[in-house]
Amino acid sequence: MFTLAEVASLNDIQPTYRILKPWWDVFMDYLAVVMLMVAIFAGTMQLTKDQVVCLPVLQSAVNSKAQSGMSGNADVKHIVPEFETATVQDPERWATKTVSFESVSPETPDIPLSRSTYSQLRSAVANQEPKKEQKDSSGRKTNLDYQQYVFINQMCYHLALPWYSKYFPYLALIHTIILMVSSNFWFKYPKTCSKIEHFVSILGKCFESPWTTKALSETACEDSEENKQRLTGAQSLPKHVSTSSDKGSPSASTPMITKSGFKFSAEKPVIEVPSMTILDKKDGEQAKALFEKVRKFRAHVEDSDLIYKLYVVQTVIKTVKFIFILCYTANFVNEISFEHNCKPKVEHLTGYQEFECTHNMAYMLKKLLISYISLICVYGFVCLYTLFWLFRIPLKEYSFEKVREESSFSDIPDVKNDFAFLLHMVDQYDQLYSKRFGVFLSEVSENKLREISLNHEWTFEKLRQHVSRNAQDKQELHLFMLSGVPDAVFDLTDLDVLKLELIPEAKIPAKISQMINLQELHLCHCPAKVEQTAFSFLRDHLRCLHVKFTDVAEIPAWVYLLKNLRELYLIGNLNSENNKMIGLESLRELRHLKILYVKSNLTKVPSNITDVAPHLTKLVIHNDGTKLVVLNSLKKMMNVAELELQNCELERIPHAIFSLTNLQELDLKSNSIRTIEEVISFQHLKRLTCLKLWHNKIVNIPSSITHVKNLESLYFSNNKLESLPAAVFSLQKLRCLDVSYNSIAVIPVEIGLLQNLQHLHITGNKVDILPKQLFKCVKLRTLSLGQNCITSIPEKIGQLLQLTHLELKGNCLDRLPAALGQCRLLRKSGLIVEDHLFDTLPSEVKEALNQDTNIPFANGI
């Protein structure tokens, strides 16, 4: 036998789940407990006291003597009274106290006996019973023994008693258990239980988080500050910042900070919001973790509506169950009766065909059934109300509109599906939970938390330790993967270069105007937003800007409004389909731009780049291997002095380049150029002094190169050259020649004609002999001869008095010439050679090479 506590445990849930139990679920739980008690009480009574007592219905046999004296009298049936029948539990009394009314005189008129007369006769017989012990009993005998009565009682219990009278308690118990299970099944089902448990856990932490309290109190401070501002009147305060119709001011679409609490208008003053109390580091980390948990939980739960559907299904099941119970139970209420007629067909065992039976639990069961039906009706009405609530409003959508109106977090998003349904359920418990939970759905709230934690961690002293000197001897600060830009950064007033990398929520406030030395800014995957005052400062003072991005949307629109910008570096994905999205048409505002560097995957040079043509002096396009096809826009860039088209899969020198009359340096590195017959057209470019065709597939240099008489630097390294034509050595102004990593076997003797040559690079070729004419180039400062097949170095190398760098490593040398001691500017650090070869030099030469020198030498290119 089970106890009430064991069955009631089906209705138990975790205490933390109670916030998801609206009043109707709680009420139905209590109703289910009461119905469970009724069912168990009825079952207990039935098991312990339920029984049926039966007596036979007798046919009166007319005495033969009486029939002779009473002809014409009808036969009378004498039924043994129920109250004279002995119970099964007391067989001895039944054996000795059987009473009949045969003592009534036969001469008595045969008339019907009323109940009162019947009672009087029974009393009279009872009073006379002691005097008539010698006579037969006054009642009619049944001639049945104890075992026959037990048999009849059991037979009639199963045959005469309605089934509902026997099984009502068990049916009520089963129905109640089903209703209990249906009410809490969504808390037990694995696919919903895990989500509910996670939700309740996060909700409790959000409710108790110190950040929630501080965020809501901050909102209250802002509201009170705004109300105070309205009451005191804004007219008396000075107009801090105005958005005048300045020519360089950003348009409405420019991404300026609009939700930071600062408003730049002439009508409204700047309202300074009191800063929030600094959170403990532990509280701040916990709040950050909560933001991340809420974000992941939302993404997980909003994908499905399983919890909502399961709750609707279990409510429908309870409603259908209520209707079913009510329909069939109402029909059986009247069938529960105290008296029953039984015809068991056991005449051959007892001698009687019909029995009159009584059910001792009939009255109690009927009362309990009526009570159970009443409880079921109440339960059913609550189920109907629940269904009405479920379909009255869309529970798969939840709006934080009220929270947004009451707080400063106007960006709290609306949620849907199971997330929305859970919040609706929580609202039935206490709406404060949803309000506090909404704080952790707001990006503004998260940004405030990050800002507080960031400023607490990155103090002025810590930032000062991260300032370094770059190659240009400028003070540089590099911030990487922070949640924002610390306020203390803008107190470093002597900073020259600021690098912000992977800071998605970077904001540049008005305090940047304190950094009077700042001229270079790097934004690497950092779509920074600026305030109006900060933009005005950057527009007037910033000279160099580097923007590295993945998508063009990361390029801040204010970049194209920096009118005093000199250098702009754009590094990111700018394919042909998105060229118009770059915003290059806005480059016309960059009136002082001199250098434009684009590292991307362009297939054509954007036509709008000509907007900066009048003042642009250097254009660099580095492709990622994408073939640059359309180059017609280059013709309009007449003032470009330096042009680099690297890794653009060019197969020939573009003809558009020959129109750039002011071109001084051309770099076509890492293309697929095989022939350069067009080089003769460079003779029209009178200012061209540097030609870089390195890292291509050039097989030979045409003799027409001699017409490009103003060349001073010529780079052919990493090609497929096998020889050098004599035409190259007719370029009298040539100061730098780089033919490294080719297949050149012989250095022509004409090399002696290059009297102005200062830098010669022949590393990685097949040269085995150095011509003596080479050492007539007395201005040589750099001579790279490594990784060749050279077997000896002539003593005439001592004629190169200005030599500062000599590379001989990787050859077939067995000694070094002592004449190296005559190269007064050469030092051991500039001599690239194997150690064992260096040891072959005379000691005085080695000492000379090991000496430091401060002797100045002529500047190279």
Side-chain angles (χ1 to χ4, degrees):
M1 188 65 184
F2 47 79
T3 63
L4 176 63
E6 292 173 343
V7 180
S9 63
L10 296 172
N11 208 34
D12 288 343
I13 59 171
Q14 295 184 20
T16 53
Y17 288 1
R18 298 192 184 278
I19 59 176
L20 295 175
K21 299 279 285 186
W23 68 264
W24 52 82
D25 278 351
V26 176
F27 187 54
M28 284 192 287
D29 287 345
Y30 282 115
L31 286 176
V33 172
V34 175
M35 289 189 289
L36 185 66
M37 294 174 65
V38 171
I40 292 179
F41 176 71
T44 304
M45 293 289 291
Q46 193 169 37
L47 289 174
T48 57
K49 296 184 179 182
D50 191 31
Q51 60 186 352
V52 172
V53 178
C54 299
L55 287 177
V57 177
L58 303 177
Q59 294 287 344
S60 60
V62 180
N63 194 305
S64 58
K65 295 181 181 180
Q67 288 179 352
S68 61
M70 297 181 60
S71 58
N73 287 342
D75 295 336
V76 179
K77 290 183 180 181
H78 297 276
I79 302 175
V80 181
E82 295 174 357
F83 49 79
E84 290 294 331
T85 304
T87 61
V88 176
Q89 292 84 353
D90 195 359
E92 294 180 0
R93 183 180 178 186
W94 166 79
T96 59
K97 297 293 183 177
T98 304
V99 180
S100 66
F101 292 103
E102 290 182 354
S103 58
V104 179
S105 176
E107 289 80 12
T108 304
D110 189 13
I111 59 174
L113 295 177
S114 65
R115 181 168 295 185
S116 61
T117 306
Y118 182 79
S119 299
Q120 292 174 2
L121 288 175
R122 189 184 65 172
S123 299
V125 172
N127 293 332
Q128 294 177 3
E129 185 177 352
K131 298 178 182 180
K132 297 181 179 182
E133 291 181 356
Q134 70 279 8
K135 298 182 180 181
D136 295 337
S137 299
S138 59
R140 184 176 292 277
K141 293 182 179 181
T142 61
N143 298 321
L144 296 176
D145 58 14
Y146 173 72
Q147 287 80 7
Q148 288 174 315
Y149 271 102
V150 173
F151 175 74
I152 292 301
N153 289 344
Q154 292 180 354
M155 286 290 294
C156 290
Y157 183 84
H158 293 286
L159 294 178
L161 212 62
W163 70 271
Y164 195 72
S165 298
K166 294 179 288 185
Y167 301 114
F168 155 67
Y170 311 112
L171 290 175
L173 180 61
I174 293 173
H175 292 324
T176 305
I177 291 175
I178 292 175
L179 292 175
M180 285 182 170
V181 172
S182 299
S183 293
N184 297 303
F185 184 71
W186 68 312
F187 291 128
K188 308 292 185 180
Y189 185 57
K191 290 187 178 180
T192 57
C193 176
S194 59
K195 294 181 180 179
I196 293 173
E197 184 178 357
H198 197 186
F199 173 76
V200 171
S201 174
I202 293 177
L203 186 64
K205 292 177 181 178
C206 292
F207 190 85
E208 297 173 358
S209 173
W211 171 248
T212 310
T213 304
K214 293 181 182 298
L216 294 177
S217 63
E218 174 75 4
T219 299
C221 289
E222 290 179 0
D223 292 341
S224 61
E225 194 70 23
E226 290 178 0
N227 292 335
K228 182 178 178 181
Q229 194 68 37
R230 294 191 191 99
L231 292 174
T232 55
Q235 296 84 355
S236 60
L237 296 177
K239 300 177 182 178
H240 294 281
V241 184
S242 174
T243 55
S244 60
S245 57
D246 188 8
K247 204 169 185 180
S249 62
S251 62
S253 60
T254 304
M256 300 295 171
I257 295 178
T258 57
K259 298 181 180 179
S260 61
F262 298 88
K263 296 183 179 179
F264 301 93
S265 63
E267 291 78 14
K268 294 184 179 180
V270 177
I271 299 175
E272 296 183 358
V273 179
S275 60
M276 296 177 61
T277 307
I278 296 178
L279 287 174
D280 294 337
K281 185 175 181 180
K282 182 178 179 181
D283 294 337
E285 293 300 323
Q286 289 178 348
K288 288 180 182 178
L290 275 178
F291 274 106
E292 187 64 24
K293 286 182 178 180
V294 170
R295 188 181 297 109
K296 291 182 178 180
F297 177 77
R298 179 189 174 192
H300 175 61
V301 176
E302 275 193 319
D303 290 341
S304 67
D305 56 353
L306 178 61
I307 298 177
Y308 170 76
K309 288 181 178 178
L310 188 60
Y311 188 84
V312 172
V313 168
Q314 71 180 30
T315 305
V316 171
I317 290 175
K318 290 189 292 184
T319 306
V320 172
K321 190 72 176 175
F322 144 72
I323 296 173
F324 172 72
I325 295 173
L326 190 62
C327 289
Y328 88 86
T329 304
N331 294 331
F332 293 114
V333 174
N334 295 327
E335 291 189 12
I336 300 179
S337 176
F338 182 74
E339 297 179 357
H340 299 278
N341 188 266
C342 178
K343 296 179 180 180
K345 296 182 182 181
V346 291
E347 185 178 0
H348 62 287
L349 298 176
T350 61
Y352 296 97
Q353 293 182 350
E354 186 176 357
F355 294 86
E356 191 75 18
C357 304
T358 61
H359 185 202
N360 65 333
M361 286 291 296
Y363 180 78
M364 179 63 71
L365 288 177
K366 193 168 186 176
K367 296 299 182 185
L368 291 175
L369 178 58
I370 294 173
S371 301
Y372 187 77
I373 292 176
S374 301
L375 293 173
I376 282 293
C377 288
V378 177
Y379 193 96
F381 288 137
V382 177
C383 288
L384 293 174
Y385 175 81
T386 305
L387 287 177
F388 169 74
W389 180 78
L390 285 172
F391 297 109
R392 179 175 60 91
I393 57 176
L395 296 181
K396 291 197 293 184
E397 298 176 0
Y398 189 91
S399 175
F400 284 95
E401 183 177 358
K402 186 175 180 182
V403 180
R404 291 193 292 262
E405 291 175 355
E406 295 177 354
S407 68
S408 61
F409 306 127
S410 59
D411 67 321
I412 301 178
D414 295 337
V415 295
K416 59 183 180 179
N417 289 336
D418 282 343
F419 199 6
F421 176 69
L422 290 174
L423 290 173
H424 279 294
M425 297 295 284
V426 170
D427 279 350
Q428 299 302 316
Y429 183 83
D430 189 349
Q431 293 185 354
L432 184 59
Y433 277 92
S434 299
K435 183 176 181 180
R436 286 177 168 264
F437 194 80
V439 172
F440 287 89
L441 290 171
S442 168
E443 291 186 6
V444 173
S445 174
E446 186 174 7
N447 292 337
K448 283 187 177 181
L449 174 64
R450 289 174 178 173
E451 182 181 348
I452 292 173
S453 301
L454 185 69
N455 292 330
H456 182 59
E457 179 182 0
W458 289 87
T459 60
F460 178 82
E461 292 75 15
K462 184 176 180 178
L463 289 170
R464 175 59 70 182
Q465 295 175 1
H466 285 75
V467 175
S468 60
R469 290 274 180 182
N470 62 12
Q472 290 77 31
D473 197 31
K474 295 181 179 180
Q475 292 197 50
E476 178 181 298
L477 176 62
H478 187 187
L479 299 179
F480 177 73
M481 289 187 70
L482 298 182
S483 59
V485 182
D487 290 341
V489 168
F490 307 105
D491 294 328
L492 301 171
T493 55
D494 55 346
L495 202 64
D496 299 310
V497 181
L498 177 60
K499 291 185 177 181
L500 306 178
E501 184 172 359
L502 292 174
I503 305 178
E505 299 297 331
K507 296 179 181 179
I508 301 178
K511 287 181 64 177
I512 197 174
S513 57
Q514 302 174 176
M515 306 174 71
I516 54 177
N517 291 331
L518 183 67
Q519 293 188 349
E520 185 174 341
L521 178 63
H522 293 248
L523 302 176
C524 302
H525 302 286
C526 180
K529 298 180 180 180
V530 298
E531 295 179 6
Q532 178 66 36
T533 304
F535 167 75
S536 300
F537 172 80
L538 294 174
R539 181 188 59 194
D540 297 334
H541 293 81
L542 197 62
R543 296 295 180 265
C544 180
L545 177 63
H546 294 249
V547 182
K548 190 175 182 179
F549 53 90
T550 302
D551 186 80
V552 290
E554 297 179 24
I555 304 177
W558 52 266
V559 166
Y560 305 103
L561 302 174
L562 303 174
K563 64 180 183 180
N564 286 326
L565 195 66
R566 300 292 192 274
E567 302 176 21
L568 177 60
Y569 297 81
L570 300 177
I571 304 173
N573 184 18
L574 299 172
N575 56 41
S576 58
E577 289 78 14
N578 294 333
N579 274 341
K580 295 182 180 179
M581 299 176 62
I582 302 175
L584 290 180
E585 62 274 4
S586 300
L587 290 179
R588 63 174 60 94
E589 298 294 333
L590 306 179
R591 304 184 187 96
H592 296 89
L593 189 66
K594 300 296 183 182
I595 299 174
L596 177 59
Y597 177 100
V598 180
K599 186 175 182 180
S600 184
N601 55 347
L602 297 174
T603 58
K604 63 179 181 179
V605 178
S607 58
N608 290 331
I609 203 172
T610 56
D611 294 335
V612 294
H615 42 81
L616 195 66
T617 59
K618 182 176 181 179
L619 175 63
V620 180
I621 297 179
H622 281 206
N623 262 11
D624 60 356
T626 304
K627 189 171 184 179
L628 190 62
V629 180
V630 182
L631 295 158
N632 294 330
S633 300
L634 293 177
K635 296 180 179 180
K636 300 179 181 179
M637 309 193 69
M638 304 303 296
N639 292 324
V640 169
E642 298 181 34
L643 177 62
E644 294 184 20
L645 302 176
Q646 297 189 15
N647 204 15
C648 297
E649 288 296 316
L650 299 176
E651 297 180 357
R652 302 181 72 91
I653 299 175
H655 290 277
I657 296 176
F658 303 135
S659 302
L660 306 178
T661 55
N662 288 316
L663 191 63
Q664 298 178 15
E665 181 177 333
L666 176 63
D667 188 349
L668 300 178
K669 181 181 178 181
S670 299
N671 285 283
S672 300
I673 301 175
R674 296 178 180 273
T675 178
I676 55 172
E677 297 298 332
E678 304 88 346
V679 74
I680 191 174
S681 300
F682 284 133
Q683 63 180 325
H684 303 296
L685 305 181
K686 302 299 183 181
R687 298 186 180 183
L688 184 64
T689 59
C690 180
L691 178 60
K692 297 181 179 180
L693 298 173
W694 45 357
H695 295 270
N696 281 280
K697 301 177 182 179
I698 301 173
V699 177
N700 57 70
I701 302 175
S703 58
S704 57
I705 197 172
T706 187
H707 298 291
V708 192
K709 298 185 179 297
N710 292 323
L711 279 179
E712 297 178 1
S713 300
L714 191 58
Y715 293 81
F716 280 98
S717 64
N718 294 90
N719 278 281
K720 298 182 179 181
L721 299 176
E722 296 182 356
S723 62
L724 292 176
V728 173
F729 306 105
S730 64
L731 302 174
Q732 295 298 318
K733 295 183 179 180
L734 200 62
R735 293 193 296 170
C736 178
L737 176 62
D738 185 356
V739 290
S740 302
Y741 301 102
N742 283 278
S743 301
I744 299 173
V746 178
I747 300 177
V749 296
E750 289 84 358
I751 194 171
L753 300 176
L754 300 178
Q755 292 298 310
N756 292 314
L757 191 63
Q758 297 181 9
H759 304 276
L760 177 61
H761 303 275
I762 315 180
T763 303
N765 283 277
K766 300 178 181 179
V767 177
D768 55 355
I769 299 176
L770 297 179
K772 296 180 181 180
Q773 289 80 3
L774 172 63
F775 305 104
K776 292 182 179 180
C777 303
V778 294
K779 294 183 179 180
L780 274 175
R781 295 176 52 204
T782 301
L783 180 59
S784 299
L785 302 172
Q787 302 179 36
N788 279 279
C789 303
I790 301 173
T791 57
S792 64
I793 303 296
E795 293 289 339
K796 290 190 176 183
I797 196 172
Q799 299 177 8
L800 305 179
L801 301 180
Q802 298 186 19
L803 192 64
T804 60
H805 181 88
L806 175 62
E807 180 184 354
L808 298 173
K809 193 172 184 177
N811 283 282
C812 302
L813 299 173
D814 55 0
R815 67 180 184 86
L816 294 179
L820 286 177
Q822 301 176 17
C823 302
R824 295 176 301 171
L825 301 181
L826 184 63
R827 293 294 175 262
K828 184 178 180 179
S829 59
L831 178 61
I832 311 301
V833 69
E834 290 85 351
D835 292 339
H836 71 277
L837 291 178
F838 183 78
D839 293 337
T840 62
L841 291 171
S843 57
E844 63 274 10
V845 176
K846 290 192 288 185
E847 290 177 3
L849 292 174
N850 285 324
Q851 291 179 358
D852 293 332
T853 181
N854 293 322
I855 301 176
F857 48 84
N859 292 329
I861 60 173

